[in-house]
Amino acid sequence: FQKHEFFVDMTCEGCSNAVTRVLHKLGGVNFDIDLPNKKVYIDSEHNVDTLLETLKKTGKNASYLGEKSAQ
């Protein structure tokens, strides 16, 4: 899968929990949340638009930062 990097305006644990919830609901994703830097890294076969729409369901400001090369 391609690893995608998103900015999500998360300020607290509740915000990251909301992100976790919507991504689990979507399914087919592996993700890491970097709360201090307001970043979400997602491995998925879903396209970027689907992932971004899903992140926006949290009510947070979200944007796509680009592909992250796998380490």
Side-chain angles (χ1 to χ4, degrees), residues 13-41:
E13 206 61 37
C15 300
S16 63
N17 290 343
V19 169
T20 300
R21 212 167 33 248
V22 296
L23 289 174
H24 276 308
K25 207 175 273 184
L26 179 63
V29 294
N30 285 322
F31 60 92
D32 289 307
I33 296 174
D34 179 354
L35 187 55
N37 294 312
K38 302 184 179 189
K39 301 265 180 72
V40 180
Y41 303 103

Side-chain angles (χ1 to χ4, degrees), residues 5 10 13 15 38 43 48 60:
E5 186 177 346
M10 302 174 289
E13 206 61 37
C15 300
K38 302 184 179 189
D43 278 326
V48 170
K60 301 285 167 208

Side-chain angles (χ1 to χ4, degrees), residues 37-54:
N37 294 312
K38 302 184 179 189
K39 301 265 180 72
V40 180
Y41 303 103
I42 305 176
D43 278 326
S44 174
E45 70 251 6
H46 294 291
N47 66 34
V48 170
D49 292 336
T50 303
L51 296 171
L52 191 54
E53 283 310 304
T54 301

